[in-house]
Amino acid sequence: MTTSPAAEAAERRERILRAAVHDRLLDPDHAVLAAFVDLDGVAASVAALHRAFPPTVQALHTFAAKANCLVPVLAELRTHGMGCEVASHGELAQALAAGFAPERIVFDSPAKTRADLDRALALGVTVNVDNFQELSRVDEILAVRSSTSRIGVRINPQVGSGEIAAMSTATATSKFGVALEDDGNRERLLQAYRDRPWLTWVHAHVGSQGCPLDLIAQGIAKAVAFADKVNADLGRHQVTGIDIGGGLPVNFGSDEPTPGFDEYVARLQAHAPALFSGNYQVVTEFGRSLLAKNGFTAAYVEYTKTSGGRPIAITHAGAQVATRTVFMPEAWPLRITAHDPGGSLKVGEAVPQDIAGPCCFAGDLVAQARPLPRLAPGDIVALLDTGAYYSSTPFHYNSLPDPAVHGVRIAADGSIRFGLLRPAETVHHVLARTGGVTLGADEAA
């Protein structure tokens, strides 16, 4: 009997959780919260991305560091042939620490300082210019020295919003890029490329979660059309590459990894066939779609109670590791599974219950009235699909320490092997980042 990929994913996750309890990576006294990244799953996701693009396309697939900025995770992605997209000087430092060559790093940010630009251009990092004022700063830097960086301008194709406004970056009034349809901007951009032969790229990103694939593809089609227009008007092949961003949505409703990268490419081929003509190099910037379903966060249930007739489980996973879910639950709902103290899936009648976090405000709930087998102190809850943005981007409310993040591989013999991606913070670390102590070399390591 064939097992479905979704069933295999659920079984794999439970095996990892049981092994983590056995190895005391989860412990009710000393490790009440931890996150796990399935590195085998990451490799499979990257391979699916590479397969989706036809070999006739010269593509550099970069990982959006914001989605999981842990240096060992970035280094792992590098070993699978990824580049890295960064959006701050901190992320640039993390990408370099992970071993990415500067020419495989793309720097996007709407607020690059002169120092940011100077460093990126000195290193040879690709720079996507966000606006005309930033372009003037690049002019000033290049007037005094040369750079090997590939440089482009981010355009806002203004194709509209998806279901989550905060994740949509190509609306009429988006803060990102040069608004292509605003009066005079198209002509001004064409002149900018005419005056600067070193402007050889065009960048566009429509959005991520909540954006339908056709909307994303329509935005990329406008970027391709603009690149074609530049080359036609200038009578030369000046624009040689198009950075199409990322944005493949993630299915948070089940273990099915839909939509797939192949479906995304099919929509691009339908809306922007010139992208696949061989005339342009292509850069992608996927993040959540590569990592989200390859990670989960596990926390112990500390107490249970009933209030107003509603069962409540007080756990150690709340706003500090599931910030978006707590503050925007309609847009970012998470699946949650209930496990016994040994990590095995709990069975029994599903009872609607609130899954609350440890933070000291009433809204710290990762789920409300969620039907699950009745939880008890010492049980474990797993927050699924949290390989991107969750534990790797903590919210320091109540000065709660950052949890450990563990990488996981399952060997051919079935053995489960863990590797530390980020150690759990101690109280000394919390004091250090709040100005209370200065860590010694051993403590800071």
Side-chain angles (χ1 to χ4, degrees), residues 12 56 94 111 142 160 189 267 388 398 400:
R12 183 181 180 91
T56 53
Q94 289 163 332
L142 296 184
L189 274 171
R267 301 322 301 153
N398 285 146
L400 290 165

Side-chain angles (χ1 to χ4, degrees), residues 107-123:
F107 192 11
D108 297 321
S109 168
K112 304 180 197 73
T113 66
R114 285 185 174 83
D116 291 338
L117 290 167
D118 192 68
R119 176 159 171 73
L121 293 170
L123 287 169

Side-chain angles (χ1 to χ4, degrees), residues 134-366:
E134 183 181 331
L135 187 58
S136 295
R137 289 185 176 179
V138 174
D139 286 337
E140 294 168 2
I141 295 170
L142 296 184
V144 296
R145 62 171 171 76
S146 62
S147 171
T148 61
S149 293
R150 297 182 300 190
I151 305 173
V153 175
R154 177 170 183 168
I155 65 168
N156 173 9
Q158 295 176 292
V159 291
S161 175
E163 295 176 0
I164 306 176
M167 296 291 104
S168 299
T169 57
T171 62
T173 58
S174 172
K175 77 175 187 178
F176 292 102
V178 176
L180 191 61
E181 304 302 339
D182 279 18
D183 286 347
N185 274 356
R186 189 183 297 270
E187 292 73 20
R188 191 177 177 190
L189 274 171
L190 287 169
Q191 189 61 47
Y193 278 81
R194 184 176 292 110
D195 294 342
R196 300 167 176 83
W198 43 264
L199 273 182
T200 57
W201 280 73
V202 171
H203 173 42
H205 177 62
V206 173
S208 53
Q209 196 66 20
C211 288
L213 298 188
D214 283 317
L215 182 71
I216 295 173
Q218 289 161 13
I220 301 309
K222 292 185 72 172
V224 175
F226 176 75
D228 286 345
K229 175 71 171 172
V230 171
N231 289 341
D233 281 13
L234 272 57
R236 59 178 183 263
H237 191 57
Q238 178 168 316
V239 176
T240 58
I242 301 176
D243 183 334
I244 64 174
L248 185 70
V250 169
N251 166 30
F252 285 97
S254 76
D255 278 314
E256 295 291 343
T258 57
F261 292 109
D262 52 352
E263 185 179 348
Y264 170 84
V265 170
R267 301 322 301 153
L268 287 178
Q269 289 171 324
H271 289 278
L275 187 67
F276 301 87
S277 65
N279 291 330
Y280 297 107
Q281 300 173 57
V282 174
V283 164
T284 69
E285 301 175 353
F286 293 103
R288 180 182 295 108
S289 52
L290 289 168
L291 263 290
K293 301 196 83 63
N294 293 312
F296 67 92
T297 305
Y300 278 97
V301 176
E302 193 67 36
Y303 300 109
T304 57
K305 63 176 74 172
T306 299
S307 184
R310 174 82 57 82
I312 303 171
I314 308 295
T315 81
H316 289 280
Q320 87 279 28
V321 290
T323 312
R324 288 179 176 179
T325 296
V326 168
F327 288 108
M328 299 178 65
E330 295 82 10
W332 299 99
L334 285 177
R335 293 181 294 140
I336 298 173
T337 52
H339 302 260
D340 65 24
S344 295
L345 202 63
K346 289 196 78 168
V347 296
E349 180 185 359
V351 177
Q353 51 202 301
D354 289 355
I355 311 301
C359 297
C360 195
F361 66 95
D364 187 29
L365 302 168
V366 294

